Amino acid sequence: MDRIRIVGGNRLSGAIPISGAKNAALPLMIASILTPETLTLQNVPRLSDVRLLAQILNNFGTDTTIAGKRAGQREGYARTMRLNAAEIVDTTAPYELVSQMRASFWVLGPLLARCHEARVSLPGGCAIGTRPVDLHLRGLEALGAEIELDSGYVNARAPGGLKGGRINFPTVSVGATHNVLMAATLAKGTTVIENAAREPEIGDVARCLVAMGADIEGIDTGTLVIRGVDSLHGATHAVVPDRIETGTYAMAVAMTGGDVLLENARTDLLQAAFDVIEEAGATVVGEAGGVRVSRGPGPIRPVHVTTAPYPGFPTDLQAQLMALMTRADGVSTITETIFENRFMHVQELARFGADIRLSGETATITGVPKLTGAPVMATDLRASVSLIIAALAAEGETTVSRVYHLDRGFERIEEKLGRCGATIERISG
Ligand code: EPZ
């Protein structure tokens, strides 16, 4: 298994190209199920989750091809993926694949909408909480689906097709919103989703669906109105830049000091996190080519943050912020409200000498004058990158093992950081 070795202490300076968002690319790929024509996605990140989902879609009969890079982009980054589901030959998403990635469960709604039946394994994914799927099922039932649970699988049918319905989600759920939104595009009649998640990746998917011929009102708001159409057609769509990757590198720069242009990044996708990063002592400026983040010699200042659905501070940046706060000049608090078990990085950060106390859903972090490199282990995607941030500022050498977690969501991290002056390498095997 690959490991990443880092020798800390270098400031970061230069430019980092921000990839297309994983959490938009995955549902966009799934949207290809809704049409027999070709969906062309540009700016698709090179990630293991993307490869795994392509495999799942291939099982249904979808042809996927991946090619090249966009003009002006560096070799290796950003690819164009063409997905064609002219004929769906199988509507089962098996345990072996779905258990590796939770987002693959989102095929349920589109399969039901197009084929009127689906058998999808209950999901897996990062171990960051119990992560039930009741809201997905309730939403699809509101569209007339008949659902049964059988031996770890969801068996769903919609004889005669899905019908428009009304669903008011009791909790904001990104995945349930994606699932029901995609399904509703081909339902007969109008669907209203209230308390829909407003994450920019949902807006990105909705815009792609509109380009495919869907009729959706209220994009980027908490109420989505979808008037079902008989069929969707092919389209070309560029995946929105990854705001979590953006925020992660912004925190890395805030941690080490330096000056980095995050190419293609957008401030409007991540205002809450940029406000916190500035409060911590860094400067964030949107400019033509992206977002510039810098921090001079002053101290990292402590902050008090609670995670929340968009537009609040994202849970997917909680671990990275915690790593940054381990070096703050004072005491910070971070409260996690989305996932109950998303603190697995705490014990790994302690190996660097961090001082973190956990009480329920709140972590209290007392900044320490220095961190020391250590062997550490990645436990989930965002937790693993928090260890990289700590390692960049730690004295001496760190090795991060189990980096397959990192490869699910960060494209060529060692190359991107290495180009900006970090001493970082991947050790294969
Ligand atoms: C999405 O997961 C993201 N995944 C997660 O990113 C992200 O952390 C999360 O949204 C919150 O922003 C992708 O986009 C692929 P939810 P999702 O449904 O859809 C509860 C990463 O690191 N809930 O919004 O699974 C749930 O337990 C990943 O890239 C139910 O109770 O999250 C949680 O407490 C990790 N019943 C809350 O809602 C349900 O049926 C929000 O979860 C569904 C969810």
Side-chain angles (χ1 to χ4, degrees):
M1 272 190 288
D2 289 4
R3 284 170 300 149
I4 286 187
R5 176 179 168 274
I6 296 174
V7 181
N10 301 355
R11 292 161 70 79
L12 294 174
S13 73
I16 295 180
I18 296 301
S19 299
K22 167 182 82 87
N23 288 350
L26 299 176
L28 285 165
M29 289 169 66
I30 291 172
S32 69
I33 295 173
L34 294 164
T35 175
E37 296 183 14
T38 300
L39 177 64
T40 302
L41 298 176
Q42 298 166 331
N43 202 28
V44 175
R46 192 179 290 258
L47 298 171
S48 59
D49 271 9
V50 167
R51 281 193 292 278
L52 180 64
L53 181 59
Q55 211 183 322
I56 293 171
L57 297 177
N58 293 156
N59 278 358
F60 301 149
T62 306
D63 283 331
T64 49
T65 59
I66 295 175
K69 59 189 172 99
R70 284 195 300 167
Q73 249 155 353
R74 291 181 195 155
E75 193 63 50
Y77 293 112
R79 298 161 308 159
T80 295
M81 181 179 261
R82 289 190 177 76
L83 302 104
N84 182 284
E87 203 186 338
I88 306 261
V89 293
D90 189 344
T91 54
T92 299
Y95 170 79
E96 296 70 39
L97 297 173
V98 182
S99 59
Q100 294 179 48
M101 181 181 46
R102 183 175 168 86
S104 54
F105 185 73
W106 306 349
V107 299
L108 180 63
L111 280 176
L112 258 177
R114 169 107 181 256
C115 308
H116 305 174
E117 60 166 38
R119 178 170 158 81
V120 178
S121 165
L122 288 165
C126 278
I128 54 178
T130 47
R131 307 184 81 185
V133 291
D134 54 318
L135 301 176
H136 298 244
L137 303 185
R138 224 191 284 181
L140 293 171
E141 277 171 344
L143 303 193
E146 295 165 9
I147 290 175
E148 268 175 21
L149 295 183
D150 163 39
S151 317
Y153 277 77
V154 174
N155 288 337
R157 293 173 62 245
L162 292 172
K163 298 180 189 65
R166 181 173 278 271
I167 174 87
N168 187 341
F169 285 122
T171 306
V172 176
S173 163
V174 171
T177 304
H178 276 306
N179 221 335
V180 177
L181 167 65
M182 288 193 275
T185 58
L186 291 181
K188 285 194 187 71
T190 300
T191 297
V192 179
I193 307 177
E194 284 170 314
N195 203 22
R198 286 179 284 159
E199 269 65 7
E201 294 74 26
I202 290 172
D204 200 39
V205 170
R207 274 179 268 277
C208 176
L209 292 169
V210 168
M212 293 165 72
D215 180 348
I216 304 170
E217 237 178 69
I219 295 177
D220 294 327
T221 76
T223 304
L224 295 168
V225 179
I226 306 115
R227 288 179 204 86
V229 294
D230 289 341
S231 62
L232 295 180
H233 50 73
T236 297
H237 179 85
V239 181
V240 70
D242 195 318
R243 66 195 165 95
I244 303 302
E245 189 193 24
T246 303
T248 299
Y249 288 125
M251 295 211 202
V253 178
M255 182 68 150
T256 63
D259 185 327
V260 172
L261 175 66
L262 302 173
E263 293 170 347
N264 314 320
R266 283 170 39 186
T267 47
D268 61 312
L269 301 177
L270 197 60
Q271 203 49 59
F274 281 140
D275 288 348
V276 169
I277 291 167
E278 290 209 295
E279 201 185 327
T283 304
V284 177
V285 182
E287 47 180 72
V291 177
R292 185 170 293 282
V293 180
S294 58
R295 187 173 72 76
I300 298 170
R301 290 194 291 265
V303 296
H304 301 279
V305 168
T306 298
T307 61
Y310 192 84
F313 186 92
T315 172
D316 290 349
L317 286 174
Q318 179 256 107
Q320 298 88 317
L321 179 65
M322 196 176 300
L324 176 61
M325 288 302 115
T326 62
R327 288 282 291 108
D329 189 15
V331 178
S332 307
T333 54
I334 302 180
T335 302
E336 170 61 55
T337 66
I338 310 289
F339 293 113
E340 74 273 22
N341 189 24
R342 210 172 195 182
F343 280 131
M344 284 178 299
H345 41 285
V346 169
Q347 63 185 30
E348 294 304 299
L349 288 171
R351 295 182 197 277
F352 293 94
D355 179 351
I356 306 171
R357 272 181 301 114
L358 270 184
S359 170
E361 53 187 27
T362 299
T364 303
I365 308 112
T366 304
V368 292
K370 73 165 189 175
L371 299 177
T372 312
V376 290
M377 196 170 71
T379 50
D380 72 62
L381 169 56
R382 309 302 175 186
S384 41
V385 83
S386 78
L387 306 177
I388 303 269
I389 293 176
L392 290 172
E395 275 180 18
E397 183 178 311
T398 295
T399 45
V400 183
S401 55
R402 300 200 179 171
V403 297
Y404 54 84
H405 287 292
L406 209 55
D407 295 333
R408 295 185 58 184
F410 290 92
E411 182 173 8
R412 300 180 174 215
I413 190 167
E414 66 277 16
E415 196 182 308
K416 291 188 183 189
L417 286 169
R419 281 196 178 141
C420 289
T423 304
I424 179 168
E425 64 175 335
R426 179 180 290 256
I427 303 166
S428 298

